[in-house]
Amino acid sequence: MKVPFIDILRYENGFYETVTAKTAELIKNGHFVGGPVVGLFETALKDWTKTKFALGCANGTDAIQLALRAAGVEKNDKVLLPDMTFWATFESIVNVGAVPYVIDVSKETLHLTLASVKEGVEKFKPKALILVHLYGWACPETLEIRKYCKDENVTLIEDCAQAIGTKIKGESLLANALVATTSFYPAKVLGASGDAGAVFTTEQKIADTTKILLNHGRISHYEHGLIGWNSRLGAYEANFMLESLKHLDAKLVSRRHACDEYRKKIKNPIIKMIGPSADVWENGYLSVGLMTPETRPAFCEYLKANDIGFGNIYPGAMSMQPGANGHLGGKITHGHADWIANSVVNFPAFAYISQAEIDYVVEKINAYKA
Ligand SMILES: *Cc1c(COP(=O)(O)O)cnc(C)c1O
């Protein structure tokens, strides 16, 4: 058997036919940019995520840049971020003219802690913090960090590129964030037929500014109130996701099942399967195992030899990227992100993975001897 790390082509019955028929309609009607389907998708997305405002844009990186700008982050402002995230989080801060300050994550939860945020805020006095929720989980101390940032006047932006559908204390993680962003890159939990992203907020003013920024700063067709750019969501992507959203609950059930199975059934002591904290409901984006920098390389070779796809998400800390040179304002690191980068391994957990595939992965992992 061969199990890929990810297979995005397991469409639901009838999905392909419906989407292509609707795309043909868009072409016939000349609805390429904008048009009714974008509005329909934004409304469906707002309802599904239980958010107050949901605005589609070109990709997940733009979503972070829009959120930073709309929430008032300006040139030379200091912005904190975790040392373990995808590079887009770091890039976005630099791209809006602000300065990234990196703080370390926990070796146990792989996320920021309230204590690490406090230390970063006290030391660097930042304007904003980007809290990143990885693996389809939520940072365990999200609610505490939200309260702390509010009390300390630190603008909190949440990068939920991997956390659509994730719940904390029974509520949609996206619903109560001041401003949150997501990505609809095809490999994400809700994937588009190309690049796309969204900004979510509880504030009318942030929603209004986001809408203006993503369409050339337009306040009317040829009147430009701000320096924005073009980050409009395309009609094909909106159409594809509007249809896919109808199956999102089923996708999450399948992904969560795979993650649960690995946590329950992988018994090889060389690997420690971990998951979100007790009050977090994961969306099943990634299955996460921790090894050590010493044990991981040979194990990954073994997976390759057995045709099991895997990920190392992410294989490098932000503060150690060559591109951080000359941009990083400061850091508080204890080497945790670097350790995680060299110890983490992710197993196949895509939507509609079969039980036979899961069983094969479990069996091979349990049979591994270092
Ligand atoms: C995917 C991802 C992004 C970037 O999204 P794009 O749509 O690829 O621009 C940003 N942050 C995190 C944590 C991601 O996983």
Side-chain angles (χ1 to χ4, degrees):
M1 191 180 289
K2 190 178 169 85
V3 187
F5 178 53
I6 177 162
D7 182 356
I8 58 171
L9 296 181
R10 301 205 183 174
Y11 298 138
E12 295 82 6
N13 280 337
F15 175 82
Y16 173 83
E17 290 75 14
T18 310
V19 165
T20 48
K22 288 195 174 170
T23 304
E25 283 296 306
L26 294 174
I27 297 171
K28 266 189 222 152
N29 295 323
H31 291 158
F32 302 123
V33 171
V37 72
V38 172
L40 286 175
F41 170 66
E42 287 177 328
T43 303
L45 181 66
K46 182 171 88 71
D47 292 345
W48 193 89
T49 54
K50 301 196 164 58
T51 48
K52 199 158 169 201
F53 300 99
L55 297 148
C57 66
N59 55 67
T61 310
D62 269 9
I64 304 172
Q65 288 167 199
L66 288 163
L68 285 163
R69 289 273 311 273
V73 171
E74 295 180 349
K75 198 162 184 245
N76 297 326
D77 281 345
K78 297 175 181 177
V79 181
L80 292 181
L81 80 155
D83 204 12
M84 177 47 64
T85 176
F86 179 58
W87 182 239
T89 320
F90 190 101
E91 264 176 347
S92 299
I93 297 168
V94 177
N95 284 339
V96 303
V99 186
Y101 285 72
V102 151
I103 48 180
D104 216 342
V105 293
S106 152
K107 262 171 104 171
E108 279 75 46
T109 70
L110 318 187
H111 283 81
L112 291 181
T113 61
L114 177 61
S116 64
V117 169
K118 270 188 185 165
E119 194 188 352
V121 168
E122 280 161 19
K123 180 159 181 199
F124 300 124
K125 312 253 178 292
K127 164 89 185 227
L129 159 70
I130 303 184
L131 179 61
V132 184
H133 306 281
L134 292 181
Y135 320 115
W137 312 344
C139 167
E141 290 178 282
T142 298
L143 305 186
E144 292 81 357
I145 291 171
R146 282 181 184 165
K147 180 175 186 309
Y148 173 78
C149 286
K150 197 165 178 210
D151 292 348
E152 297 298 314
N153 233 341
V154 174
T155 304
L156 181 62
I157 291 128
E158 300 186 42
D159 181 348
C160 297
Q162 305 184 4
I164 192 166
T166 301
K167 291 180 193 169
I168 186 158
K169 292 206 155 75
E171 286 198 90
S172 165
L173 177 65
L174 290 164
N176 302 310
L178 170 71
V179 52
T181 65
T182 202
S183 162
F184 303 119
Y185 178 72
K188 296 283 159 78
V189 167
L190 178 64
S193 53
D195 279 307
V199 176
F200 305 88
T201 180
T202 49
E203 302 292 308
Q204 178 85 53
K205 198 165 158 275
I206 293 177
D208 291 345
T209 309
T210 300
K211 212 166 176 166
I212 293 169
L213 285 172
L214 70 81
N215 192 14
H216 299 298
R218 271 192 174 118
I219 43 181
S220 69
H221 197 68
Y222 282 123
E223 200 181 354
H224 306 276
L226 291 170
I227 303 295
W229 68 101
N230 174 2
S231 186
R232 293 179 299 237
L233 173 61
Y236 297 170
E237 285 78 29
N239 168 55
F240 187 95
M241 290 189 288
L242 184 60
E243 213 40 51
S244 195
L245 201 51
K246 295 176 187 163
H247 305 284
L248 191 50
D249 287 302
K251 285 183 205 282
L252 297 197
V253 167
S254 166
R255 285 180 169 273
R256 294 184 85 231
H257 173 70
C259 294
D260 272 344
E261 286 280 282
Y262 294 137
R263 274 194 297 266
K264 258 189 255 158
K265 295 183 176 168
I266 293 175
K267 305 270 192 223
N268 195 324
I270 200 154
I271 186 158
K272 188 172 146 205
M273 296 306 296
I274 59 171
S277 53
D279 53 9
V280 169
W281 195 93
E282 69 181 327
N283 67 12
Y285 182 58
L286 287 175
S287 149
V288 182
L290 284 180
M291 307 188 68
T292 70
E294 292 72 38
T295 58
R296 191 180 72 173
F299 177 70
C300 289
E301 286 308 314
Y302 169 84
L303 293 176
K304 276 186 211 160
N306 284 284
D307 284 331
I308 295 172
F310 63 92
N312 298 127
I313 298 173
Y314 286 103
M318 293 303 97
S319 57
M320 294 173 75
Q321 299 300 322
N325 270 334
H327 295 293
L328 186 61
K331 61 177 180 177
I332 303 175
T333 54
H334 312 285
H336 295 171
D338 185 44
W339 181 85
I340 294 162
N342 289 294
S343 306
V344 70
V345 53
N346 314 93
F347 303 118
F350 50 88
Y352 313 125
I353 184 171
S354 73
Q355 189 64 46
E357 288 170 315
I358 295 171
D359 291 344
Y360 175 77
V361 173
V362 169
E363 182 202 313
K364 287 294 170 192
I365 294 172
N366 285 339
Y368 175 72
K369 287 186 184 66

